[in-house]
Amino acid sequence: MSDDVGRDIFRRSGIDWARRLVDEYAFSLEGIPEMIRVRLYRVVGEQWIEMEQSHYLQTPGMASPVVSETGRYSSREEALDDVLHGFTEGYQSAVKAGHRPDVNWLLPNRDFV
């Protein structure tokens, strides 16, 4: 028995963009006590994964926060690797530049509910 329903069940007038929560993970960055959450969704009737994150990273010197340019992933691991790469690269660069970790480096994602 499959744990996923077919896309036909969602083919109804007014229904759009159906997806199912697959996993949720939480982590923090060293020296920053705020928890960052990542949710992974599988689009109903498809094989790819979408990802949402609770916060974005913007350290001193960054013109804009780190935002993934990928909207779809082929696996959970690929999605997690992408988001974690963005956080660790930005974090490590700021620390190497002499900045102390600060909760203000995390920008809440207003769309994450």
Side-chain angles (χ1 to χ4, degrees):
M1 177 181 245
S2 172
D3 66 338
D4 197 9
V5 297
R7 81 174 84 182
D8 290 343
I9 192 80
F10 286 96
R11 285 191 181 170
R12 299 169 190 226
S13 178
I15 302 295
D16 191 25
W17 194 45
R19 59 190 191 157
R20 179 177 58 90
L21 180 65
V22 176
D23 271 320
E24 182 172 336
Y25 298 90
F27 65 94
S28 64
L29 296 170
E30 188 175 330
I32 303 175
E34 184 79 23
M35 291 302 289
I36 300 158
R37 296 203 326 233
V38 176
R39 291 184 187 141
L40 303 177
Y41 295 89
R42 181 168 310 281
V43 175
V44 173
E46 301 293 339
Q47 292 303 310
W48 38 271
I49 298 285
E50 291 182 341
M51 183 263 307
E52 291 180 346
Q53 60 195 71
S54 63
H55 295 80
Y56 299 104
L57 181 71
Q58 186 171 9
T59 62
M62 289 178 124
S64 60
V66 177
V67 178
S68 175
E69 294 182 20
T70 304
R72 297 177 181 169
Y73 301 90
S74 62
S75 68
R76 297 179 209 191
E77 291 78 11
E78 183 183 16
L80 289 170
D81 185 58
D82 186 43
V83 72
L84 292 172
H85 177 78
F87 275 100
T88 56
E89 288 292 309
Y91 175 89
Q92 291 171 357
S93 293
V95 170
K96 283 181 185 175
H99 300 285
R100 297 189 77 151
D102 190 303
V103 72
N104 293 317
W105 292 6
L106 299 179
L107 303 176
N109 177 355
R110 291 183 227 161
D111 295 328
F112 191 89
V113 289

